[in-house]
Amino acid sequence: MDGDSYYDSENGRDLVTCESGRMDKEQDHRQIHHQRVTIHVLPDDVLVEIFDFYVLDSSCYFNMWSRLLHVCRRWRHVMFSSGRRLDLEIFCSPGKRVRRVLDCWPELPLVILPFLNRDYLLKDDEEDDIAAVLEHPSRVSWISFVLTDSLLGKVGNLIQQPFPELESVYLSSRGQALPVLPDNLFGGFAPRLCNLTLVGIP
């Protein structure tokens, strides 16, 4: 047997070749692993651009962007510090433990959207969720729900406050009794409002 060559006569294989092949595979594995973690060397501004594509692509899914927050602490910091740039909004749907959501999330703009149905008639406890969101008028950017006398009784005073971030409002009415909006709607101050739709409301 040659001093630099090793042959396994029982299994009929070159041990040097096998060992070399194993080392090559380990090296390839290390290279692949290294490639997987290279995103961590990207600067924050590049991450923001990547996040922007993700947020835009998932805009039709409520709060889908929040998945990125769970990747690591750095991503969470980058996203929250670039909330305006990424146009991050918190969708507040009734029945989704709204008060808990408001307590644990940063002060991002709020969207009141009862599910995907604009004509959805809210239950009593869901009306309380709407009122909870409207207690933060400086953050509400979008309002969309069916306005009933019952709901108006709960939010009548709340919607007479200034809403500086409000951009879109869609209010509709169902039933014979038409709710009457207060004269001082939104406190007379909603400078960003660009869309106001009232259906069945005088």
Side-chain angles (χ1 to χ4, degrees), residues 149-190:
D149 284 336
S150 173
L151 179 57
L152 186 59
K154 296 179 180 180
V155 305
N157 291 330
L158 296 175
I159 59 177
Q160 296 185 60
Q161 305 176 81
F163 280 72
E165 297 297 322
L166 188 60
E167 299 178 1
S168 179
V169 176
Y170 178 94
L171 298 176
S172 62
S173 175
R174 292 175 58 184
Q176 296 180 349
L178 300 179
V180 178
L181 294 174
D183 294 333
N184 193 30
L185 185 63
F186 306 135
F189 185 77

Side-chain angles (χ1 to χ4, degrees), residues 45-193:
D45 57 335
V46 175
L47 283 177
V48 170
E49 293 299 323
I50 296 174
F51 295 162
D52 188 38
F53 278 105
Y54 181 86
V55 172
L56 182 64
D57 188 57
S58 61
S59 59
C60 59
Y61 300 98
F62 296 168
N63 300 333
M64 184 67 73
W65 54 265
S66 63
R67 292 185 174 184
L68 298 177
L69 303 177
H70 303 290
V71 174
C72 64
R73 183 177 300 177
R74 182 192 173 203
W75 283 27
R76 178 188 294 263
H77 172 74
V78 170
M79 289 202 69
F80 283 153
S81 61
S82 306
R84 180 72 71 174
R85 163 68 177 81
L86 296 172
D87 196 24
L88 299 183
E89 296 176 321
I90 300 176
F91 284 83
C92 300
S93 297
K96 301 296 183 181
R97 296 178 293 182
V98 168
R99 290 189 181 277
R100 180 178 177 182
V101 170
L102 295 174
D103 289 339
C104 68
W105 285 84
E107 293 192 0
L108 296 172
L110 304 174
V111 173
I112 302 176
L113 188 61
F115 315 110
L116 293 176
N117 185 0
R118 282 181 168 179
D119 297 322
Y120 176 80
L121 199 58
L122 296 167
K123 301 179 179 65
D124 185 66
D125 58 330
E126 293 172 338
E127 291 181 349
D128 294 337
D129 289 335
I130 296 293
V133 180
L134 292 175
E135 290 174 359
H136 303 267
S138 62
R139 297 172 56 190
V140 177
S141 65
W142 189 351
I143 294 175
S144 176
F145 52 76
V146 175
L147 186 63
T148 61
D149 284 336
S150 173
L151 179 57
L152 186 59
K154 296 179 180 180
V155 305
N157 291 330
L158 296 175
I159 59 177
Q160 296 185 60
Q161 305 176 81
F163 280 72
E165 297 297 322
L166 188 60
E167 299 178 1
S168 179
V169 176
Y170 178 94
L171 298 176
S172 62
S173 175
R174 292 175 58 184
Q176 296 180 349
L178 300 179
V180 178
L181 294 174
D183 294 333
N184 193 30
L185 185 63
F186 306 135
F189 185 77
R192 298 173 61 91
L193 184 63

Side-chain angles (χ1 to χ4, degrees), residues 31-46:
Q31 290 177 348
I32 293 174
H33 178 71
H34 178 70
Q35 293 172 357
R36 288 176 179 172
V37 299
T38 52
I39 192 171
H40 294 296
V41 305
L42 295 177
D44 289 355
D45 57 335
V46 175

